[in-house]
Structures are given as C-alpha cells and as structure tokens.
Amino acid sequence: MRVPLSWLREYVDLPAGETGRDVAARLVRAGLEVETVEQLGADLKGPLVVGEVLSIEELSGFKKPIRHCFVNVGAANGTGEPQEIVCGATNFAVGDKVVVVLPGAVLPGPFPIAARQTYGHTSAGMICSARELGMGDDHNGIIVLEPHHEPGTDAIELLQLVDEVLDIAVTPDRGYCLSMRGVAREAAAAYGLPLADPALLDVPPANSYGYLVKVADPAGCDRFVARTVTGVDPSAQSPIWLQRRLQKSGIRPISLTVDITNYVMLEVGQPLHAYDRNRVDGPIQVRRAAAGETLTTLDGVKRKLSTEDLLICDNSGPIGLAGVMGGATTEILEPVVDPETGQVTGSTDVIIEAAHFEPVAIARSAKRHKLPSEASKRFERGVDPEAARAAAQRAVDLLVLIAGGTAEAGVTDIAAPHPLRTIAIDADLPDRVAGTGYGRETVTRRLQEIGCTVVGTDILEVTPPTWRPDLTDPYDLAEEVIRLEGYDNVPARMPTVPPGRGLTEAQRFHRRAGVALAGAGFVEVNNYPFVGEAALDALGLEPDDDRRRTVKLVNPLNDEEPGLRTTLLPGLLGAVRRNLGRGNTDLAVFETGTVFLPKAELKVAPRLPVDRRPSDAELAELDAALPDQPRRIAVALAGERLPSGWWGKGAQAGWADAVEAARTVARAANVELTVRQAQRAPWHPGRCAELLVGDRVVGHAGELHPRVTKALHLPERTAAMEIDVDLLFAGGGQRVSGPAVSSYPVATQDVALIVDAAVPAAEVEAALRDGAGALLEAIRLFDVFTGEQAGEGKKSLAYSLRFRAGDRTLTADEASAARANAVAVAGERTGAVLRGV
Amino acid sequence: MSAPNKSYDPVEVEALKPEVVEQARDEAVAAFAAAGSLDELKAAKVAHTGDRSPLSLANREIGALPPHAKAAAGKLIGQARGAVNQALAKRQAELEAERDARVLVEEAVDVTLPYDRAPRGARHPLTTLAERIEDTFVAMGYEVAEGPEVEAEWLNFDALNLDQDHPARSMQDTFFVQAPDGTPDSGVVLRTQTSPVQARTMLDREPPIYVVCPGRVYRTDELDATHTPVFRQVEGLAVDEGITFADLKGTIELLVSKLIGDGLQLRWRPSYFPFTEPSAEIDLQCFVCRGESVGNPDRPCRTCSSEGWIELGGCGVVNPRVLVACGVDPSRYSGFAFGLGLERILMNRHNVADMRDMVEGDVRFTLPFGMEI
C-alpha cells in the first residue's frame, strides 16, 4: 500500500513539521511495515509552468516528426515574450495548455534544463510528458491540461509534484490497512489524534427500485450494494488531484469512471466495480459457475471457470469473476473521440457494485486463475462489509460532481444477516501475555481506539469493528493492546529454565566428527541437495541402483534437477570442480548433511485436525509419508594431499586418504571400523573399500572410477568417501575402559610374510593378532612390496610385533614362541609363508 | 704392597713429601689449563689422574706407612687430588661449552622457512555459528532439538495455525514434494522454516520445554547476493507456566549481547506470524553506521542500506491455537518462540557481502574461519 503523506493528512491532522520518515517511524512501532519513504520531486527545481501553445511549425526532413513551437508562458520567463521550444511530441494543438520547463530548472533524474540548439532552432526549455516529471510511466506524448489554467502558473504546485510516499508492506492480518482509511486510523492512534473517517457519509436507505440484483449464494456474497448514475459525460477527464493521487498510489489513471472506482477503493478499502448499464442484460445475479462455463475477463483472457468460482452474471451469462476481475462485455468503454466532429462517445450510464465476498472463495479463484488483483488482494484479507454503502455513495458523489452525472434514486442493498461477534477477554490478559501491568483502563482505551466496543469490568465484552475480521479471540485483542502500548515498553526478563541435559551424545559426536576432519585438513562445504538424472548418470550408477530412486519435487528450482539427493557425492564433487575451476588445485573437502531415501511404500501425509492433539497413530501416518533422512558425511580429495617442499617429497591424494577419512570419523565416534575390498559405483572397481561396523556396511571409500572422473571433469585419481553417521554412531558410544599400562620391557620382533597378491592385508594382520595372543601389545605393517623378490603373483608384508607382559619381563623364548604362533596362524588362514630373512 | 712398618718414616718417602705432592698437583692443574681442546684435556687427564700419574703412585705408598702417619699422608694426597679433579671438571666444562657454542652455531637453520606440510582444514562458518548459538542456549539450560528437512505439510503449516487458505501460506514460497501418483497432493514439503521442530517437540513431550532447533530450510528463491533457496535458521521455543513476552525480550537481548556484543539498540517491531501472537520482528541497530546513515546521503551505509537497522528475525508469544494442535494445555502453559536467519547474522557479524560465498563451497572463503567463530 502506497500512502502519499499529503493524502494521509486529509484524515489525520498530523503536526505540520512531521516528515514522511517521522510518520514512518511511528507506524513501524505500531506494526506497519513501512518499507520505503519515497521523496517525490526531491530533486525537482523550477521554473516549471503552465504554457499556452501559440504556434506550431512542423519540421520535415528528420527521422521523426519534430515541431518548432512558440509558447506563451506568461511572465515566468522574465520577458513575457513567447518561448521558443522544439518538441518531439505531436499530441497537442495550437491553443492547448501544456507544462513547460524553462532553462535553469532541474527535472527528476536529475536532468538540468538549458537552452540549446537542436534541429536547426533554439529550444529554450521543454514541453513535458508525465514520465519526465516523475508522475508515472506515461510517455505517450506530453501532458495537455484543462483549458482553464493560466499561462505562467506554477506547475509544481498545480501537479502536486512534491510529496512523500510511504510504501507499506501490509501483513495478511491487516487487510484494513490496504486503504487510506485504515492507515489513517493507525496514524491517528499512533499520534493520539482524532480520525476523520472517510466512510462516515450520509447514505440514503435501501429501497425497492434500485437495480435488480439476485444473490443465489449468500454464503459467498453476504452484501451487495448497487447504485446507478446516468448521464455521465464520457468526455469528462479525471481532475489533476484525482490522477495524481492514483499515480502516487501506484495506479495508472484510465478513464474517469474507472479512476473513481479505484480512488474509492484506495480511500475506504472497498473494491468497487463499474458496469456500463447499457451493456448489462437484465438483472444481476451472483452465483457459482456451472460446469463448462467461460468468461472473458477485461484483460482479454478467456477463462474456463471452476464450479467453485463465484460469478457476477446477467441474462447473457457471466459478466464478472466476483471480487477478482470484471468481464469484458460489460466494462466501461474507453472514451472515443470522433475525428470529424470532435464528439466523444463512451459509457454514459453506470452501475456501481460494492459487494462483500467470502475471503476463501476469492483467494481460491484468484489463485486458480493466477489473477492477483487489487480487488482480490483486499477481499482475501477481509474487507469491511459495512463500508460497502459508504463506498458506493462516495463513487456516486464523485460521478455526479466530476462527471456531471445524475444519481438515480434507487438504492439496492442486499445484506445477509451479519451477527456481531463479541469476545470475552479477562481484563488482565494483556498483562499476563506481556508480563507487565497495563491495567484495565489502558486496555479498554486501546481497544476503543481501534474501533472496538468495550463493556464490563474484570471480564470485558469486546465487539470488534467490522473492518477487523482478524480479531477473533482474546489473544488477538491482547496483541492489539500490547502493540499499541509499544513493544519497547515491555520489560525484559529471563525465564527460570530448569537444568537441561546438554548436548546429546550424538550431537557431541557430530561436532567431533567435523572438528576431526577439519583438523585432518578437510574444509567443510555445504551444497544444495537438488539432483537430476545427469548427475546420477555421471556417477555411473546402474539403472536399478537404489540411489536413482529419489524424492521428486513438484516445483524444482531447475527442471533438470527435480530430485533430492540420495548421496552427498554429486554436490560435493560439484564443489570440487568449482574449486578447481577457480585455481584451488589441492583439495580436501567434506560435507555433512542428510540424504533423502524414499520409503519402500510411498504414502500421502494426511491433513490432521488442528483443534486437538492428533493421536499417536495419526502422527505416525505423517512420519510414514516422509522419506528416510539419514545423516551422512562425505569427503572428496584431489591433487596433492601432502605438498612437496623443502622438507622433501609430498604425496598425491588417493584412495588411502579417503579410507583414512572414514577412520577419522569412526575414531570421533569411538567405533572400530573394518575395511573390506568391494565394488560399487562411482568407485574404481579395484580401489574401493567397503566400510563396516561389525557386519553392517556403513559406507564406502576409495578412488573414483576413471569414467566418473572423466564425466565430471575431475582430475584422475580423485578420491571420495561417504559414510552414514547414524549407522556408524549406533555401533559405538561405549565407554572406554582404561587399559592397564605395563612398565615391563618391550620385546620387538619383525616378521616378513609372503602371501598371494589377492590376500587382503587386513586378514593377514587379523591372523597374526589372533596367533600372537595376549602378549601382543601392538602390530604395525611397515613394508609392502611385490616383484621378483616376492615372487610372481605374490606380495611381501613386513610387520613389526611388539610383545609385552603385564606382570614380568618376557624372555626371548616367550616372545619368539608368540611370534612363531602368529606366523603359523597366518599361514593356516592366509597361506602366508615366512620370508627367508 | 708392603706391610705396615712401624719404623718407617714417611718423611723419608720421596713421593709423599709435601713439596713433591704439591708440585704434582700444580703440574696437573697447569696441564689442564693448557689443554686447548677436549682431546688434549683427555690426554692430560690420563697423564695426571691415571694409574701411572704421580699422585696415583704416591697414593699407593700410603698403604705401607705406619698407622700414625697414614692419616696425614692421606689428607695430603686427598686434598691434592681434589684440587686436580676440580680443575679438570672446570676445564672440561669450559671446553664443552666452547665446542657446543661452535657446533650449535654451525647447526643453525632458518626458522622462518614456511612449513605448510600438513594441509589446513576448516569448518563452515554457518556450522560453527549455529554451534555458538546452541552453546549460548545450552548454557541457559536449553536442549538442542532436530527434525527432518522433508516435512509433513501439517507440521510445517497447519499445526502452526496456517491453514490451507491462509494468506500467509503464500508468503512463503514452498517446494512441494510429488505424491506417489505424481500430483502435488503428497502432504509433504521441504520445510520452509524450522518451526515444525517446535511442533514435533511439543507433540513429543510435556512442558516445561526449552529447546533450540538449528537446521536447513527451503524456499523457492533464486540465489543472489542476499537470498538463497536453501538457508539456515535457528529456532527457539520455551513453553512453561507463566512465560510472557517479557521473557522473550530478556532472552533475545541476552543472546544478542553474547553473539554480537553490547551497546547496540534492539528495535521490537510489531509484525504478523500465524504461529505467534503477539508477533515481533527484531531489528538490531546497524553496527557499522549506528544509524547515522539514515537520511544522510553523504554517508551511505552498505551494511544496512542506510536504514539504520538490520533485521535479525521474527519472534512472538506462541499462539494458543498452536499449543492446542500440539497437545499443550493453553490454560496452564504459555510459550515464546523465535527464529533467526543464520546467513544474515553471518553476513553482519563477519562482514560477508555476498551470500553466494556461503553456498558455493570455495575453500578460500571457509578457510579463514578456522574451527570456531
């Protein structure tokens, strides 16, 4: 809602020096969201005056028509001589009154004006269009004023070019503030001043000879006021004040009748519709659409109607989509000038509709037809049903006053009974909600200020005004009192919070995992979870891979990415590529977040009641409709993991770093992770590790498949890991039992074993551990090699075994026996043979 | 060695004559002092303290002395040997210090050499900012609650007093999930706010409830410098007997002072959210211009667009209808709730000009934030 300050002052006698910004600050504190205060004409400087066109010489030989004019600007140019001006517009004639800006002036832009040579003549100023003056977007020629204006008159004042406009974002609960009347009421309350209510008009009572209206759906339309004005002069134009108020409010002037309906809507908040009576066929009916009906709205679009749409009809069928937009067949005709006679033809007899429609019906129609109009916006948020008569009267008055029409005596007013709502509120409820003491008198006074009727003492019986349909329960009323008293005046206090449990173990683990990875040199990134087929194809997933089954969005940001991720890798690898593209070549990144896995059986989530707590069974139905959303951590590495430098050679990132990242996360969870050779997209089939906790696979790590790195334009040997942290954590969390640290000497023995190249080192180590028994303190693989010395198809694994007892110094024989047993078990299980040392 | 001999005269034993002993002592001390290196000192040590050194030989003679003479001779030799050993140790220390000084100088390195051998990592500032806020509340006794990002419409909207036709429902541009039949009527959305976690918490347990809920939320905005379709909120909820708007104000003021610092004004602006009543928007005085850019075109402020205030988030007293839908008795309990946008706070607290930097994952953006902010 755009509110010109000059217009607002008509209803509230604001202090003279009060600026738009001052008023905005007050309104903001009362809860109106004033987004901007626009300074109209702030950089405008005269002279800008009325001129009379004395002569026009059409210049030829240019690409467009150019006129060389002399214009009488009175004494405004200091000489009284006609002003020589070259003009590119053609919509004016000799004798017309126009708006002239003279040299030395500055137009909005800022655009300084000076005399200049152009098209072979001197142009000492400019004849102005509406757009050049900052009045609107109209640039179809220059402004032609009514003939009665005197040359030399100051046009800045005449055209009301200097003003301040408050642009207010009206929240859905405050429909009444989509009007000057509503904003003025708030301003009056904020300043403690009286309000001149524009809806307080003398209105003749309804009678039986108004235009015939039948309301077949009183639930959808509980009020319908119709008034008729005849003999409207189709050549009459909207006066400047009316046009200017519309323009400042962001509405383009169209024709006098339409302008008046828009003006009244802005003023009192009641959307009006004007019909050309001579185009309406018989009585007006209000009903729902029948199946298959259509309506061409006045934007020229033919619309298929739904049986839920509320319609205004005549004998010919639908003539308007109620509360949303009128129909083309009965709209007010744009005035047409006969070029020969100068005669203006247009609509002369007008029916004004001021109706009240059910908000939900209008909201649905506007949404269904994608027609959010000024009218529907207001009806959706609630219009004052009692303002209909006054609004119609105001329109009639203006048509009579400005357009020379005659008001017909018939007054149609169909009203469904509107029971007054009364709300009982404990007088101290606002005190209890705010945590302060207002007292009953303040509560009563504030409620009266917003238009409520208040009776009672400890319990107040409050009748909200008809323009506040949002006030339905005691808390609504409490809010009004608190906001008007000012949030700044509510004290600040701390609640007494009972002791909490702190972070849960899982929450602490999530933090530790992030810290551990960052400590290991990984940088955290956050990616959008949107994926499409292309990303899943690039990962080389088989057609039946589970990860291709995604949760789909109805309205994705990008049609190519309608799904939600089932793996973190697409987003993470995208981040790797973005970084590489920006020259960040050595990368180790991680992401933690949820993936979305559709349940085996897809269900719809029911819409549960809100007037009670749903049962646990009902709530379970909601959760059953949601996908599983486990939490994952993924890492990706490319380039050098350890850089080369003066200290020596570095190392390229590879599969082992990815596996180690999983171990880093597992350590943060205090979980023993086992690693097994596996094959799974998008990993390299020979360089992929399956990560297990016990028997349960919790993730994978390794080097990416060369086809995947190629498809994603990643460096070869890019490595990645993805692990389900919920599963991982479920396997851990046991309290650590402190080890008994022996202070007896250690006995270290090395073994080198030859095994088949295919035997996993993890199995050999496990066998050695088992074989070495309780005396083994630690085991470490310190060398691996293949080649001639190991033998064809074999590899050599060299281990260092540390033996120690808790109660004595081990003898060399004891250590050797343990070692021999370790080798024997390894030989049994893996075919390992001791290499000749 | 000869047996003790009573008639033996120690004075007559040449090696035990005091002047001879003193001479041997003096020669030893002089030889140590003259040693120019540790090797020379070692040779002098052998010569003057070894088995064949004069003092050692003299010492041997003591055994043959008559008992009455032994003490005096022992004392004489002992003193001499003590002096010799002392001189040796002193010279040894001197020479070692000289050697150490020389060698350690030779071993000096350039300690300003860069050592970027271990790669540096960092956590995302939005993660650590959320943790900082969580910690502030956990210290007050709150608990951290979490909920799903793909959420039932009923929990995201209806339970929060936003029925199907509520005008506010179109204030939030929602991503809808396809139903099994491909239509939009799945009853499932990407949550537009963290508030459904409030509802879940109330449905889950009895008051008193004091929770904060951090998380990702979704709205169909295009990514630009100040908007992202996927962003983060931290929601707070307190439900207890006697909770008021005043409690909300105190809590938010405490959070702001912990998170951003003292000395900046807060502005409480009445607003509208269906799930709270009364509702407020919280604005923080711009910490860059402190409001001095307002109406002052010569001093524009980029941080607050010369408005003097920065929006922190929305809050209010929980609408009793929400309590009813979530199974909390509004005649006994009341509550407050607030929601803060983390991206906006990060921008303001850390001078981040462009929100895209938070979502693109460029490591150069994240690294300076380190492990905590």
Side-chain angles (χ1 to χ4, degrees):
Chain A
M1 178 75 192
R2 291 171 55 86
V3 177
L5 190 59
S6 60
W7 194 0
L8 184 65
R9 286 178 180 278
E10 196 169 298
Y11 313 113
V12 190
D13 189 14
L14 298 171
E18 209 70 350
T19 65
R21 217 177 276 287
D22 297 335
V23 177
R26 293 271 191 132
L27 292 179
V28 163
R29 284 184 192 278
L32 291 187
E33 201 173 312
V34 183
E35 294 197 315
T36 57
V37 180
E38 213 174 297
Q39 309 289 323
L40 296 185
D43 48 3
L44 178 70
K45 192 172 146 258
L48 184 75
V49 296
V50 175
E52 179 183 10
V53 181
L54 299 176
S55 69
I56 297 175
E57 178 197 352
E58 306 278 355
L59 302 181
S60 55
F62 300 107
K63 281 183 191 155
K64 53 178 188 170
I66 298 294
R67 289 176 159 192
H68 177 226
C69 313
F70 282 91
V71 183
N72 170 17
V73 294
N77 56 4
T79 65
E81 294 296 314
Q83 195 79 5
E84 182 182 8
I85 295 175
V86 174
C87 181
T90 57
N91 65 320
F92 60 99
V94 171
D96 276 353
K97 298 287 171 53
V98 294
V99 181
V100 177
V101 61
L102 297 175
V106 181
L107 291 187
F111 181 37
I113 302 298
R116 63 194 178 109
Q117 290 295 315
T118 183
Y119 297 106
H121 293 274
T122 298
S123 187
M126 207 164 86
I127 305 178
C128 300
S129 73
R131 192 166 73 183
E132 284 156 351
L133 297 179
M135 290 165 60
D137 287 336
D138 191 0
H139 200 53
N140 298 320
I142 53 95
I143 300 168
V144 178
L145 299 168
E146 302 266 285
H148 61 83
H149 295 293
E150 279 301 311
T153 309
D154 178 19
I156 294 178
E157 180 71 33
L158 178 72
L159 298 175
Q160 298 161 24
L161 294 177
V162 180
D163 203 347
E164 294 186 271
V165 179
L166 280 58
D167 194 351
I168 302 174
V170 176
T171 49
D173 59 326
R174 295 194 186 279
Y176 69 102
C177 282
L178 289 169
S179 67
M180 294 302 301
R181 182 193 187 209
V183 175
R185 188 179 305 280
E186 288 295 330
Y191 280 88
L193 293 169
L195 169 74
D197 187 347
L200 282 181
L201 296 179
D202 278 339
V203 182
N207 52 45
S208 58
Y209 40 98
Y211 198 89
L212 191 57
V213 174
K214 295 175 187 166
V215 177
D217 190 337
C221 172
D222 57 14
R223 193 78 188 247
F224 200 111
V225 173
R227 301 288 299 274
T228 311
V229 178
T230 56
V232 169
D233 174 3
S235 71
Q237 288 182 4
S238 297
I240 289 170
W241 66 264
L242 175 52
Q243 292 200 28
R244 290 299 292 139
R245 283 187 172 178
L246 290 180
Q247 283 170 337
K248 290 174 189 176
S249 304
I251 290 182
R252 195 165 55 88
I254 295 169
S255 67
L256 179 53
T257 305
V258 174
D259 291 352
I260 286 172
T261 58
N262 282 332
Y263 180 81
V264 174
M265 174 181 73
L266 292 175
E267 189 177 48
V268 299
Q270 166 70 54
L272 299 179
H273 189 71
Y275 302 89
D276 183 330
R277 193 177 75 174
N278 300 320
R279 303 177 74 195
V280 179
D281 178 6
I284 286 175
Q285 302 143 42
V286 184
R287 61 166 170 84
R288 302 277 168 167
E293 272 189 305
T294 61
L295 168 68
T296 302
T297 41
L298 46 79
D299 55 2
V301 179
K302 186 173 178 181
R303 297 172 188 279
K304 277 190 196 160
L305 300 173
S306 149
T307 53
E308 277 188 38
D309 286 329
L310 194 61
L311 297 180
I312 313 297
C313 305
D314 66 4
N315 288 339
S316 71
I319 58 169
L321 192 54
V324 180
M325 191 175 271
T329 58
T330 54
E331 73 174 311
I332 300 295
L333 296 167
E334 279 216 42
V336 177
V337 186
D338 186 316
E340 308 240 314
T341 61
Q343 202 70 34
V344 181
T345 54
S347 300
T348 55
D349 298 344
V350 175
I351 304 169
I352 295 291
E353 163 204 307
H356 186 257
F357 303 110
E358 201 262 315
V360 170
I362 302 308
R364 289 187 181 169
S365 281
K367 205 168 156 188
R368 186 177 303 121
H369 297 288
K370 298 190 173 62
L371 257 183
S373 64
E374 291 290 330
S376 70
K377 198 164 82 183
R378 287 173 173 78
F379 281 122
E380 274 174 38
R381 287 164 172 76
V383 164
D384 180 2
E386 293 305 319
R389 276 150 39 92
Q393 183 64 44
R394 181 81 167 118
V396 167
D397 290 347
L398 289 171
L399 280 169
V400 169
L401 187 75
I402 305 169
T406 306
E408 288 202 343
V411 175
T412 305
D413 184 356
I414 297 170
H418 232 285
L420 282 178
R421 283 170 299 119
T422 300
I423 304 166
I425 171 177
D426 290 347
D428 69 346
L429 183 68
D431 297 2
R432 281 188 277 129
V433 172
T436 188
Y438 297 120
R440 194 177 67 224
E441 275 171 36
T442 302
V443 170
T444 304
R445 176 171 55 81
R446 286 300 190 183
L447 291 176
Q448 285 167 340
E449 259 174 25
I450 59 166
C452 296
T453 309
V454 184
V455 293
T457 49
D458 288 347
I459 293 177
L460 306 176
E461 296 287 332
V462 179
T463 310
T466 51
W467 59 85
R468 292 297 302 269
D470 60 306
L471 302 179
T472 60
D473 69 33
Y475 291 90
D476 297 329
L477 300 176
E479 175 180 45
E480 291 297 302
V481 172
I482 297 166
R483 107 181 143 84
L484 291 171
E485 282 293 298
Y487 285 1
D488 288 341
N489 296 323
V490 176
R493 189 176 79 190
M494 285 298 289
T496 310
V497 186
R501 60 160 187 232
L503 295 177
T504 63
E505 290 303 322
Q507 286 162 349
R508 294 160 67 97
F509 157 59
H510 293 153
R511 290 187 177 193
R512 275 198 310 275
V515 169
L517 284 172
F522 289 86
V523 178
E524 188 176 15
V525 297
N526 293 316
N527 295 293
Y528 291 171
F530 308 118
V531 295
E533 287 298 310
L536 301 170
D537 289 345
L539 293 184
L541 304 186
E542 295 293 333
D544 60 349
D545 192 301
D546 258 1
R547 287 168 287 177
R548 285 191 180 273
R549 225 175 127 245
T550 59
V551 173
K552 295 276 187 318
L553 297 178
V554 174
N555 52 337
L557 273 189
N558 170 354
D559 289 339
E560 303 300 312
E561 296 185 331
L564 295 182
R565 66 188 178 194
T566 50
T567 153
L568 300 181
L569 293 180
L572 192 60
L573 296 174
V576 169
R577 198 173 51 236
R578 259 194 311 283
N579 273 289
L580 291 168
R582 293 178 182 186
N584 308 327
T585 47
D586 302 320
L587 282 170
V589 292
F590 79 101
E591 177 166 12
T592 167
T594 48
V595 296
F596 307 91
L597 311 176
K599 290 214 166 73
E601 193 190 343
L602 296 175
K603 288 184 177 157
V604 166
R607 174 144 295 128
L608 303 178
V610 293
D611 54 354
R612 60 167 171 88
R613 182 191 188 277
S615 68
D616 287 344
E618 286 173 317
L619 291 170
E621 279 186 72
L622 294 183
D623 283 333
L626 301 181
D628 291 331
Q629 299 174 55
R631 189 180 173 105
R632 299 259 178 95
I633 289 182
V635 308
L637 302 110
E640 281 190 325
R641 172 67 169 142
L642 299 172
S644 302
W646 57 263
W647 53 81
K649 266 178 69 67
Q652 288 291 311
W655 62 269
D657 297 301
V659 176
E660 183 55 21
R663 289 204 179 92
T664 301
V665 175
R667 275 193 293 273
N670 192 24
V671 170
E672 187 80 35
L673 197 66
T674 45
V675 173
R676 201 156 69 186
Q677 199 84 24
Q679 295 195 352
R680 180 175 167 87
W683 283 278
H684 184 306
R687 298 183 171 193
C688 173
E690 196 167 60
L691 311 166
L692 300 100
V693 175
D695 294 334
R696 179 182 250 170
V697 177
V698 296
H700 291 83
E703 188 179 303
L704 294 180
H705 196 294
R707 276 206 304 272
V708 173
T709 54
K710 189 159 177 241
L712 292 172
H713 307 290
L714 294 171
E716 285 178 14
R717 311 258 175 241
T718 297
M721 178 280 284
E722 182 169 25
I723 195 164
D724 185 315
V725 286
D726 292 340
L727 289 180
L728 179 75
F729 190 67
Q734 287 87 0
R735 195 166 293 174
V736 172
S737 214
V741 176
S742 165
S743 54
Y744 287 94
V746 68
T748 304
Q749 300 227 1
D750 292 349
V751 289
L753 300 172
I754 304 285
V755 292
D756 278 349
V759 173
E763 284 179 24
V764 178
E765 184 181 315
L768 286 172
R769 273 183 192 282
D770 288 351
L775 294 179
L776 184 72
E777 182 181 78
I779 179 168
R780 182 164 184 276
L781 176 71
F782 65 87
D783 195 22
V784 180
F785 73 84
T786 55
E788 221 172 288
Q789 272 185 297
E792 178 77 25
K794 304 276 186 188
K795 67 182 168 191
S796 164
L797 303 171
Y799 291 90
S800 168
L801 309 174
R802 286 164 65 86
F803 295 102
R804 186 157 14 207
D807 56 353
R808 64 189 189 281
T809 301
L810 285 184
T811 64
D813 287 349
E814 281 178 299
S816 296
R819 171 182 182 270
N821 202 41
V823 171
V825 172
E828 240 167 69
R829 291 204 203 153
T830 68
V833 177
L834 199 59
R835 186 156 68 91
V837 183
Chain B
M1 202 67 56
S2 39
N5 181 345
K6 290 189 178 183
S7 63
Y8 192 85
D9 180 2
V11 180
E12 293 307 308
V13 178
E14 182 65 19
L16 288 173
K17 285 185 176 163
E19 58 273 25
V20 175
V21 170
E22 277 161 24
Q23 191 190 340
R25 181 195 67 195
D26 292 346
E27 280 173 7
V29 169
F32 293 159
S37 70
L38 285 166
D39 286 343
E40 284 174 30
L41 184 65
K42 196 172 175 188
K45 179 183 170 187
V46 172
H48 294 281
T49 66
D51 287 350
R52 311 292 314 158
S53 65
L55 286 175
S56 296
L57 293 174
N59 194 44
R60 274 191 221 166
E61 298 295 339
I62 295 172
L65 292 182
H68 66 273
K70 272 186 180 171
K75 191 178 173 195
L76 181 69
I77 294 294
Q79 279 175 346
R81 289 178 110 181
V84 166
N85 283 337
Q86 207 178 347
L88 173 64
K90 182 169 166 257
R91 187 60 184 153
Q92 178 86 24
E94 282 169 8
L95 288 173
E96 280 180 1
E98 267 174 40
R99 181 206 55 192
D100 286 357
R102 192 178 63 247
V103 169
L104 295 183
V105 165
E106 282 165 7
E107 283 179 3
V109 295
D110 177 1
V111 297
T112 69
L113 283 175
Y115 197 64
D116 48 354
R117 189 172 187 178
R120 278 196 306 144
R123 304 173 74 209
H124 200 281
L126 288 172
T127 308
T128 47
L129 178 62
E131 287 178 5
R132 180 170 280 274
I133 295 173
E134 286 167 21
D135 289 346
T136 304
F137 281 98
V138 167
M140 292 182 218
Y142 283 59
E143 295 174 1
V144 177
E146 290 152 311
E149 293 174 20
V150 175
E151 183 58 287
E153 258 189 280
W154 188 83
L155 283 159
N156 193 70
F157 290 126
D158 301 59
L160 302 171
N161 194 33
L162 276 128
D163 67 43
Q164 184 93 57
D165 295 300
H166 202 290
R169 212 143 151 165
S170 59
M171 281 160 61
Q172 301 180 348
D173 302 308
T174 310
F175 286 107
F176 291 92
V177 167
Q178 274 183 19
D181 60 2
T183 65
D185 306 318
S186 61
V188 178
V189 297
L190 300 194
R191 66 178 177 195
T192 58
Q193 47 197 358
T194 38
S195 311
V197 186
Q198 282 184 26
R200 283 182 175 273
T201 308
M202 286 189 275
L203 287 163
D204 238 32
R205 52 166 140 151
E206 297 290 317
I209 292 171
Y210 291 87
V211 292
V212 281
C213 332
R216 297 217 293 187
V217 299
Y218 300 82
R219 297 199 192 159
T220 57
D221 288 324
E222 292 289 336
L223 175 64
D224 64 26
T226 53
H227 295 88
T228 156
V230 183
F231 57 102
R232 296 192 187 209
Q233 284 187 335
V234 169
E235 186 93 3
L237 173 72
V239 179
D240 204 341
E241 288 176 357
I243 290 285
T244 66
F245 196 83
D247 295 308
L248 170 64
K249 278 189 79 171
T251 304
I252 294 286
E253 282 178 10
L254 181 70
L255 173 68
V256 169
S257 90
K258 297 275 180 220
L259 195 61
I260 294 173
D262 292 318
L264 289 170
Q265 277 183 47
L266 279 179
R267 180 170 75 169
W268 293 77
R269 231 171 354 106
S271 187
Y272 170 74
F273 308 108
F275 27 91
T276 50
E277 184 166 48
S279 303
E281 297 258 15
I282 319 153
D283 297 338
L284 178 68
Q285 190 180 35
C286 176
F287 58 88
V288 174
C289 72
R290 289 180 180 257
E292 283 173 23
S293 67
V294 180
N296 188 354
D298 301 334
R299 276 199 54 191
C301 178
R302 217 177 50 144
T303 306
C304 65
S305 311
S306 300
E307 286 178 6
W309 298 99
I310 293 162
E311 235 178 84
L312 278 189
C315 61
V317 174
V318 178
N319 192 314
R321 291 174 205 201
V322 175
L323 297 180
V324 168
C326 295
V328 174
D329 176 3
S331 67
R332 179 169 173 202
Y333 295 107
S334 56
F336 68 70
F338 61 85
L340 308 172
L342 286 188
E343 280 79 2
R344 178 92 37 102
I345 294 176
L346 184 66
M347 288 178 99
N348 292 326
R349 191 171 184 260
H350 295 271
N351 296 312
V352 179
D354 196 322
M355 221 178 255
R356 283 172 286 214
D357 289 338
M358 299 178 201
V359 307
E360 285 175 348
D362 192 318
V363 295
R364 292 170 302 166
F365 171 76
T366 303
L367 272 169
F369 290 99
M371 307 293 258
E372 253 195 34
I373 60 174

